[in-house]
Structure formats: structure tokens, C-alpha cells
Amino acid sequence: MPARQSFTRASPVGWYASSTESPVHLRGKSGQPLKPKPVNNARFDKLNGFWKQWAMKPANRCLIPASAYAEAVGPAGAMMTTWLSVRDQPLFAWAGLWRDSEEWGACYTGVMTNNAPELASIHDRSPVILEKADWDTWLNAPLDELRQFDRPYPADRIRVTETSVLWKAGGSQPPALPINS
């Protein structure tokens, strides 16, 4: 197996939604190249389709360290920033895909799965959060073995922190998060 390229670019992943954008190059109806389109997340159910060229190669998988991730909650025009984190971990690993891009450098995307039913009112999907014992499997196993991670993270292990910060205002810094609460 070739040596894994390390992904060390500093990034505030999990601190604001736009930090996980990976450019996707599309072609128009006549085959002409279109301007790259940033894509925030890779849906797990698309890893055998659109994302397969990256997901099938272990060298294109990564762990995205995060302390929290944000979702917009509420009615359109008045959505508030809500932060979600893992109760017993100051940092957690979010399953990701990455690649080099001539135009944008190292690019990555977070893999998403269905959310726990208890958290569905916040969003229908959530990050694929990996336990430390699963890191090696995510990084090295064949694509078919990764299906075990296509499941919601247990809702009782997620801390939900609602804020009064309007989503459109940015809210780029999560609140101080206590451990084990």
C-alpha cells in the first residue's frame, strides 16, 4: 500500500459550516467545464455513487477533528445557531474524505448520516462521528466495510447548546463547552 499523505492543514472544522467545503468540478450539457461548486458534506448514502472515486481509496479518507458543529434552527429569516458536541469528548473525529485540488489546494468534506430521531427537529442528518476504536477501520478498510458507520450517533451522548446568535450573523465561535455534562 502506498504511504498515506498526511492532511495537516489547520482548519476550524466544526466551528462553522463553510469550513468543510470541497470543490466539485462539473460539466455542462455540451461537456464544457463549469465553475467549481463548493460542496459542504458527503452523504453516506452517496459514497457508492457521486463520492465513490474518493471513498473507495483509503488514501482519500481522513479524520476531521472537531469540538462541535453548528446547525441553523428555527423559521426562515430568524434561524438561530445551535451547537452540537459530544458530551464526554473535548474533541471528536468526524469521518471525512479529502483530495488535492490544483485550484484550491487540499480540500475535504465531512461524511453525513441520518440523525438520531431525538435530534431530527434540529436537522435530518448529522456527522459520522467515529469512536477511537473505529478510526483505523475508517481509514483503511474496503468501502463495503464502512457501511457499519452509516448510523446515527447516540442522542444521549450529544450535547445541544442553543444560542441567541442569528445563523446569518455568523456565530463562528462555539460557546465554552463543559466536559461530561
Side-chain angles (χ1 to χ4, degrees):
M1 175 179 343
R4 176 180 303 281
Q5 294 180 343
S6 61
F7 183 77
T8 56
R9 174 178 254 179
S11 173
V13 174
W15 293 49
Y16 52 89
S18 65
S19 66
T20 56
E21 293 179 355
S22 179
V24 175
H25 295 274
L26 304 173
R27 298 210 171 263
K29 291 180 182 178
S30 303
Q32 77 278 18
L34 300 174
K35 185 175 180 180
K37 171 186 170 188
V39 176
N40 286 338
N41 301 306
R43 289 179 32 182
F44 208 105
D45 59 341
K46 305 287 186 196
L47 293 187
N48 269 326
F50 180 81
W51 295 99
K52 187 173 184 176
Q53 64 181 318
W54 299 290
M56 66 186 289
K57 299 175 190 166
N60 289 110
R61 296 186 213 141
C62 63
L63 301 174
I64 303 170
S67 60
Y69 62 97
E71 295 291 358
V73 177
M79 291 183 162
M80 297 296 176
T81 303
T82 297
W83 290 95
L84 297 97
S85 58
V86 177
R87 288 186 183 277
D88 59 350
Q89 297 177 40
L91 288 175
F92 59 88
W94 179 349
L97 302 173
W98 83 278
R99 68 181 178 91
D100 278 321
S101 163
E102 248 183 64
E103 184 177 0
W104 294 22
C107 302
Y108 60 96
T109 187
V111 179
M112 304 293 281
T113 190
N114 291 330
N115 210 347
E118 303 89 335
L119 300 173
S121 64
I122 296 172
H123 200 287
D124 62 340
R125 288 188 293 269
S126 66
V128 172
I129 298 173
L130 300 169
E131 298 295 334
K132 190 171 186 175
D134 296 324
W135 293 1
D136 187 63
T137 302
W138 174 259
L139 293 171
N140 297 301
L143 182 57
D144 287 341
E145 288 183 34
L146 302 183
R147 293 191 206 307
Q148 65 184 298
F149 304 123
D150 188 11
R151 46 59 183 139
Y153 199 74
D156 64 344
R157 295 204 44 216
I158 298 290
R159 177 188 306 106
V160 177
T161 306
E162 297 174 347
T163 74
S164 59
V165 177
L166 283 172
W167 181 258
K168 64 183 177 185
S172 62
Q173 293 293 326
L177 301 171
I179 305 301
N180 297 327
S181 65

